[in-house]
């Protein structure tokens, strides 16, 4: 125990002396949270719409108006021909263009089938899909209204017709992006800080030649591993607390479940992540290599393969299989369950056990490697 | 000039001596490509649905059938009571619940109007939005189909029908991959040039060897050139790797010219190397350099450049701020180069802004670096 504390104390002094490093560790979670909370969201709104109305009748104008009734579309251009729509599309002036054919009004009046063209920039497939969905939806709505007008005109008194959709969102009633991002963000920030910061901890000693000093001291490998991780553990927990306070103050996102449970889960996770950092550090001789491994192995996978942004179900099975070994996946699921759903341990037992296994395995691996380094 | 090459040679020797560095420089871009090419997709393939049908009529069953027919929704649970849906959602067994009221059929047939309830797990807002759009569309189609039938029954003939014919340009099959893979270029260049170059320079400070460099007869400018050239080379090698894998493995269309791609990349490299140099003047240790580069350059760049999150959706102030992010302009050029084949001429404003940022950043960094050295 004394050995661990000694190593911890030494590392603490090291960190405390590093003013810039300290500042970075506090500023990073804060800045990232601001960015995520305020700047980023997935809603596709104010899509730049170009309209080429070849019909120019009351019906076609009503059709266009129905698109502009909400803030999903913003009319930017009134175009004269389909070619102009294509040109505006290729110049990026519009994101989507609709071409209303010449006999649109008559077809709507007399009840013929007619096709409206939607020309769309598909480069960003996800946005394009959403926008096409909007267009189809608005068109269906327009038709439904026309049918209703017809019904009323026939004088048949058969009520209002139609079918409403009532929606109820659990856990995030207004589908705020912040509410959904904060748990994921916490997982990412902690992973990055923990792994990347510790990844350099041993390499630094090697590069500066202080490793030999460490070797001569009567420390055991596990004491060094745990001792080196402890200060970062405290910093990371502090950062987690900071993210929680900030997300409450700034975005009104509160922890629904037990705070104690949340922090104990974070503790287990951080232990594994920090040991992984020490493990990476023990593998390499230079800080640059340690960093590149650390970023490639943790930052990107925990961003992309954790279900933070991209739904895991959509990935090909091979990639999904890989995602099962990404620790961030489990902690993000747990944070979401506790923060947003207020669930208890029994619903994420599997995730929890996985994290415990991860922490034990990583401490073991790191200790074995460090013992080798100390002996060598 | 010979001085510059002497330093370049020294740097390459140092990089080569570190056995693990070279495979990493080659493997890291491939790894990022595989991740972003295969995993970075928002396409939703399956939404698990719980159905609570209070009506149990042929009409309500038809609705469920038509919803499931869209391939997106899969009904995995049928429950008798809406309360039974809650635990299913809480444990993530289903993602959405559809509740049909008791007199559903009667209301539809008599055109009295009715409402169905959709409950969804909002904790993944991005997915929820997309899934809801699909559900809304499926229900609308069903509703207008029924209205049409009812009208036909009372003998109305002039029922309009408007079809939407989508024509998708540039990415005809709407693959997320074609959008994400070209963007890896920017990501790889950031990692390789900003972070590694800054760490490399700071290492000399840490080792105390920077004094040796300073007392050599080399001027500040030559020192900078010698230090950064190897990373320019690494960056160019990585560009080749990314382009090769993107085009031949992921079959991403490359419709523009390779010369334009190279020019745009070189322009971007001026900014990134400048950022690397800048970070190196601020940081005292490699750890600091890495943290500053990752946390304050890379992460904000990725988030504000439109890499994943569309810029148009950001508040105005962030949209304006993103103009100062070189990666934004580079991404706009590169993505269009791949998918649309538009050259640098149609991206003149991006090219100018990218060049301006490059000159400014590099100039500032070089001045600061020289002050330190001299």
């Amino acid at each position: 125990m004394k050995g661990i504390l000694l190593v911890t104390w030494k590392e603490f002094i090291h960190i405390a002396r590093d003013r810039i490093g300290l500042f970075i560790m506090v500023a990073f979670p804060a800045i990232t949270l601001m960015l995520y909370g305020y700047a980023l969201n997935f809603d596709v709104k104010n899509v730049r719409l170009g309209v080429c109305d070849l019909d120019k009748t009351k019906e076609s104008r009503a059709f266009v108006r129905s698109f502009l009734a909400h803030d999903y579309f913003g009319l930017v251009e009134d175009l004269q021909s389909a070619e102009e729509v294509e040109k505006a599309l290729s110049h990026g002036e519009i994101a989507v263009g609709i071409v209303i054919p010449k006999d649109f009004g008559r077809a709507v009046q007399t009840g013929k089938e007619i096709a409206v063209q939607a020309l769309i920039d598909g480069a960003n497939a996800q946005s394009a899909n959403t926008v096409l969905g909007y267009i189809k939806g608005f068109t269906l709505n327009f038709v439904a209204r026309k049918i209703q007008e017809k019904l009323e005109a026939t004088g048949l008194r058969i009520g209002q017709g139609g079918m409403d959709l009532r929606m109820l969102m659990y856990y995030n009633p207004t589908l705020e992006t912040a509410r959904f991002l904060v748990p994921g963000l916490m997982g990412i920030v902690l992973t990055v800080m923990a792994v990347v910061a510790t990844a350099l901890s041993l390499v630094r000693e090697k590069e500066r030649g202080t490793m030999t000093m460490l070797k001569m001291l009567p420390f055991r490998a596990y004491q060094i591993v745990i001792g080196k991780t402890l200060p970062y553990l405290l910093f990371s927990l502090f950062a987690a607390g900071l993210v929680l306070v900030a997300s409450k103050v700034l975005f009104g996102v509160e922890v629904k479940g037990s705070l104690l449970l949340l922090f104990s889960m974070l503790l287990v996770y951080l232990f594994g992540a920090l040991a992984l950092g020490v493990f990476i550090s023990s593998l390499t001789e230079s800080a640059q290599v340690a960093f590149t491994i650390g970023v490639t192995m943790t930052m990107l996978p925990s961003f992309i393969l954790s279900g933070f942004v991209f739904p895991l179900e959509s990935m090909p099975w091979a990639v999904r299989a890989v995602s099962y070994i990404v620790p961030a996946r489990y902690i993000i699921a747990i944070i979401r369950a506790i923060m947003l759903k207020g669930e208890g341990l029994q619903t994420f037992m599997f995730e929890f056990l996985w994290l415990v296994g991860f922490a034990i395995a990583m401490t073991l691996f790191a200790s074995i490697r460090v013992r080798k380094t100390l002996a060598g | 000039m010979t001085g510059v090459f002497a330093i370049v040679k020294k740097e390459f020797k140092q990089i080569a001596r570190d056995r693990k560095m070279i495979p990493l420089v080659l493997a890291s871009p491939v790894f990022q490509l595989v991740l972003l090419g295969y995993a970075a997709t928002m396409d939703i393939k399956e939404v698990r649905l719980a159905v609570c049908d209070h009506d149990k009529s042929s009409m309500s069953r038809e609705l469920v059938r038509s919803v499931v027919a869209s391939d997106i929704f899969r009904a995995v649970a049928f429950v008798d009571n809406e309360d039974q849906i809650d635990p299913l959602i809480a444990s993530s067994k289903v993602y959405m619940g559809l509740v049909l009221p008791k007199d559903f059929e009667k209301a539809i047939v008599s055109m009295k109007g009715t409402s169905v309830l959709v409950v969804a797990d909002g904790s993944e807002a991005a997915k929820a939005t997309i899934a809801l759009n699909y559900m809304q569309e499926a229900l609308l189609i069903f509703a207008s189909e029924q209205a049409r039938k009812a009208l036909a029954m009372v003998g109305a003939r002039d029922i309009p029908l408007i079809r939407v014919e989508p024509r998708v340009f540039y990415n005809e099959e709407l693959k997320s991959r074609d959008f994400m893979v070209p963007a890896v270029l920017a990501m790889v260049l950031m990692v390789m040039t900003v972070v590694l170059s800054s760490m490399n320079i700071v290492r000399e400070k840490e080792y105390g060897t920077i004094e040796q460099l300073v007392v050599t007869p080399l001027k500040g400018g030559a020192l900078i050139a010698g230090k950064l050239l190897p990373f320019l080379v690494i960056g160019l090698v990585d560009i080749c790797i990314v382009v090769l894998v993107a085009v031949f493995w992921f079959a991403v269309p490359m419709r523009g010219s390779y010369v334009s791609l190279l020019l745009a990349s070189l322009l971007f490299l001026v900014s990134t190397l400048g950022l690397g140099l800048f970070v190196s003047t601020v940081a005292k240790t490699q750890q600091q350099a890495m943290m500053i580069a990752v946390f304050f350059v890379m992460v904000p760049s990725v988030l504000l450049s439109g890499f994943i999150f569309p810029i148009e959706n950001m508040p105005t102030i962030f949209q304006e701020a993103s103009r100062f992010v070189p990666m934004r302009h580079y991404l706009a050029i590169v993505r269009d180069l791949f998918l649309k084949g538009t050259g640098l001429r149609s991206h003149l404003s991006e090219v100018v802004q990218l060049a301006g940022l490059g000159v400014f950043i590099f100039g500032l960094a070089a001045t600061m670096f020289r002050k330190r050295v001299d």
Side-chain angles (χ1 to χ4, degrees):
Chain A
M1 199 59 209
K2 207 174 159 211
I4 295 178
L5 287 181
L6 278 173
V7 179
T8 304
W9 182 239
K10 170 192 160 305
E11 196 73 13
F12 246 127
I13 293 178
H14 217 100
I15 299 172
R17 209 183 289 151
D18 182 0
R19 288 277 159 76
I20 302 181
L22 266 179
F23 169 75
I24 295 170
M25 287 211 223
V26 178
F28 173 61
I31 289 184
T32 325
L33 188 72
M34 296 284 277
L35 272 180
Y36 273 100
Y38 287 120
L40 309 176
N41 62 74
F42 292 107
D43 318 337
V44 181
K45 286 220 167 126
N46 298 314
V47 179
R48 283 160 298 138
L49 175 76
V51 174
C52 165
D53 184 356
L54 298 172
D55 194 42
K56 295 203 170 62
T57 57
K58 198 177 77 186
E59 299 289 354
S60 68
R61 275 190 288 270
F63 183 63
V64 173
R65 258 203 312 281
S66 76
F67 278 82
L68 303 175
H70 306 273
D71 54 356
Y72 291 110
F73 291 98
L75 182 66
V76 287
E77 289 215 53
D78 227 337
L79 301 151
Q80 300 310 316
S81 68
E83 287 74 52
E84 275 189 33
V85 174
E86 269 185 57
K87 210 191 279 171
L89 209 57
S90 81
H91 289 176
E93 286 154 22
I94 59 174
V96 63
I98 48 178
V99 180
I100 303 171
K102 213 165 170 46
D103 39 5
F104 179 86
R106 197 143 36 96
V108 171
Q109 292 279 332
T110 59
K112 276 212 205 67
E113 185 176 332
I114 188 125
V116 169
Q117 264 194 352
L119 291 76
I120 190 157
D121 179 345
N124 186 348
Q126 200 242 321
S127 300
N129 260 327
T130 312
V131 171
L132 278 181
Y134 289 162
I135 292 183
K136 282 186 199 154
F138 280 127
T139 308
L140 279 169
N141 264 329
F142 180 77
V143 173
R145 251 200 329 276
K146 283 289 146 199
I147 292 177
Q148 211 150 84
E149 278 171 28
K150 289 255 155 71
L151 273 175
E152 275 157 30
T154 53
L156 290 168
R157 304 207 166 273
I158 44 173
Q160 279 297 301
M163 190 167 84
D164 294 334
L165 178 61
R166 277 188 301 133
M167 288 186 272
L168 203 62
M169 270 304 155
Y170 283 13
Y171 317 123
N172 187 3
T174 47
L175 281 183
E176 279 167 83
T177 324
R179 187 175 284 272
F180 140 77
L181 283 173
V182 165
L185 178 68
M186 210 149 93
I188 305 277
V189 167
L190 289 185
T191 311
V192 173
M193 281 183 62
V195 176
V196 171
T198 42
L200 296 195
S201 63
L202 271 181
V203 177
R204 195 177 47 209
E205 312 254 5
K206 286 188 203 167
E207 280 198 321
R208 292 192 172 165
T210 46
M211 198 68 205
T212 26
M213 267 161 61
L214 211 58
K215 273 184 204 171
M216 290 193 302
L217 296 170
F219 291 136
R220 292 171 159 273
Y222 78 92
Q223 289 176 326
I224 294 185
V225 172
I226 298 178
K228 283 246 171 205
T229 51
L230 267 182
Y232 293 102
L233 190 72
L234 291 180
F235 275 114
S236 305
L237 282 178
F238 177 70
L242 208 68
V243 171
L244 282 184
V245 171
S247 64
K248 178 163 193 250
V249 173
L250 297 175
F251 310 115
V253 180
E254 283 183 60
V255 183
K256 232 174 146 187
S258 145
L259 214 57
L260 186 70
L261 183 65
L262 181 63
F263 271 93
S264 8
M265 291 297 125
L266 290 179
L267 200 69
V268 175
Y269 174 68
L270 282 172
F271 219 90
L274 292 163
L276 173 65
V278 176
F279 179 62
I280 293 174
S281 197
S282 68
L283 287 176
T284 57
E285 299 302 319
S286 79
Q288 287 172 45
V289 174
F291 156 76
T292 317
I293 298 182
V295 167
T296 326
M297 297 242 310
T298 61
M299 224 172 112
L300 275 175
S302 49
F303 193 75
I304 292 165
L305 292 180
S306 63
F308 174 43
V309 184
F310 305 105
L312 289 166
E313 295 93 338
S314 316
M315 298 175 188
W317 67 268
V319 176
R320 215 165 7 164
V322 175
S323 80
Y324 279 104
I325 58 168
V326 175
R329 175 192 173 138
Y330 300 97
I331 192 65
I332 289 179
I334 291 177
I335 300 175
R336 265 191 195 143
I338 299 176
M339 269 189 89
L340 300 179
K341 303 189 181 178
E343 292 288 324
L345 190 58
Q346 65 280 2
T347 51
F348 46 79
M349 205 55 183
F350 169 72
E351 281 85 355
F352 169 65
L353 289 178
W354 198 96
L355 286 185
V356 172
F358 169 70
I360 294 174
M362 276 305 142
T363 315
L364 256 168
F365 284 154
S367 300
I368 293 170
R369 279 295 313 185
V370 170
R371 189 177 307 151
K372 253 193 195 155
T373 317
L374 287 180
Chain B
M1 212 51 204
T2 42
V4 175
F5 281 116
I7 295 191
V8 170
K9 216 167 133 194
K10 158 192 165 291
E11 289 302 322
F12 268 120
K13 256 191 199 155
Q14 241 166 10
I15 294 172
R17 201 184 298 148
D18 194 344
R19 287 278 166 74
K20 286 174 189 135
M21 197 65 204
I22 292 175
L24 268 183
V25 166
L26 302 179
S28 175
V30 176
F31 183 73
Q32 292 183 30
L33 273 169
V34 170
L35 263 189
L36 285 160
Y38 283 120
T41 167
M42 299 269 238
D43 315 341
I44 288 190
K45 288 199 186 121
E46 186 191 278
V47 174
R48 290 185 302 275
L49 189 68
V51 177
C52 172
D53 182 357
H54 288 305
D55 199 37
K56 293 201 173 59
S57 59
S58 64
M59 184 69 77
S60 64
R61 273 190 291 271
E62 198 180 326
L63 172 68
V64 174
R65 250 201 314 281
S66 77
V67 166
V68 175
S70 64
D71 278 347
I72 303 280
F73 297 100
R74 197 156 67 89
V76 291
F78 291 89
V79 296
D80 297 323
N81 196 329
E82 355 193 333
D83 298 335
Q84 287 169 280
I85 296 178
D86 297 20
L88 288 173
I89 290 187
S91 57
S92 302
K93 289 213 174 60
V94 303
Y95 191 73
M96 228 182 213
L98 180 65
V99 182
L100 304 177
K102 192 142 180 49
D103 45 0
F104 180 74
E105 184 171 56
K106 215 192 289 169
I108 293 281
V109 171
S110 64
M111 296 293 284
K112 238 172 64 199
T114 180
S115 67
V116 298
L117 174 68
V118 173
V119 291
D121 183 344
S123 59
E124 288 177 62
K127 190 177 161 185
T129 314
I130 301 172
L132 269 181
N133 279 339
Y134 280 126
M135 181 55 94
Q136 220 155 3
E137 195 185 327
L139 293 181
L140 262 172
I141 289 175
F142 178 82
S144 59
E145 210 46 57
Q146 293 311 320
R148 200 179 302 282
K149 274 188 197 157
L151 268 177
M153 255 174 5
V154 297
R157 263 172 299 130
D158 46 352
I159 313 158
L161 176 64
I162 305 175
R163 267 186 306 119
V164 175
E165 250 174 33
R167 270 179 66 198
V168 181
F169 289 82
Y170 314 124
N171 182 0
E172 290 76 5
E173 293 162 53
L174 286 177
K175 283 189 285 189
S176 296
R177 181 179 301 164
D178 291 359
F179 188 61
M180 295 313 291
V181 165
V184 173
L185 272 177
M187 189 75 176
V188 169
L189 290 181
M190 290 290 270
V191 175
M192 291 300 158
T193 53
V194 180
V195 189
L196 291 188
S197 70
S198 65
M199 285 174 80
N200 182 284
I201 297 172
V202 173
R203 181 160 71 173
E204 307 260 4
K205 278 196 211 170
E206 265 193 307
Y207 279 31
T209 45
I210 194 105
E211 277 82 17
Q212 289 173 24
L213 280 178
V214 173
V215 293
T216 54
L218 284 170
K219 287 256 161 57
L223 203 59
I224 294 173
K227 272 271 166 203
L228 293 184
L229 268 179
F231 290 95
L232 186 72
V233 174
I234 290 177
L236 290 177
V237 171
D238 279 337
I239 290 174
C240 294
I241 295 176
V242 173
V243 171
L244 283 177
V245 177
V247 172
F248 290 106
W249 179 257
F250 286 111
V252 174
M254 172 60 185
R255 302 198 168 109
S257 85
Y258 286 99
V259 178
S260 301
L261 179 66
L262 185 67
L263 286 176
S265 303
L266 283 174
L267 217 47
F268 180 56
L269 279 168
V270 175
S271 297
T272 56
L273 289 172
L275 282 169
L277 190 63
F278 180 78
V279 171
S280 79
T281 59
V282 181
K284 289 199 182 69
T285 64
Q286 288 191 75
Q287 194 174 21
Q288 285 178 2
M290 183 210 66
M291 290 203 285
I292 296 174
V294 171
F295 296 163
F296 298 110
V297 179
M298 245 177 78
V299 172
S301 289
V302 169
L303 296 182
L304 286 178
S305 63
F307 188 74
I308 293 171
F309 303 91
I311 295 172
E312 304 95 76
N313 299 351
M314 297 173 189
T316 330
I317 182 166
F318 285 97
Q319 287 194 27
E320 291 305 318
S322 75
R323 283 183 199 288
F324 297 98
V325 177
M327 189 164 155
R328 170 193 166 157
H329 307 295
Y330 180 63
L331 268 186
I333 299 173
V334 167
R335 277 182 168 150
D336 280 1
L337 211 53
F338 269 89
L339 292 174
K340 301 188 184 175
T342 46
L344 295 182
R345 214 168 307 147
S346 53
H347 279 291
L348 214 54
S349 105
E350 272 90 3
V351 171
V352 169
Q353 291 185 67
L354 190 56
L357 281 172
V359 169
F360 174 73
I361 295 171
F362 201 94
L364 182 73
T367 335
M368 281 175 66
F369 184 80
R370 276 198 182 146
K371 234 182 229 162
R372 289 280 164 98
V373 172
D374 290 339

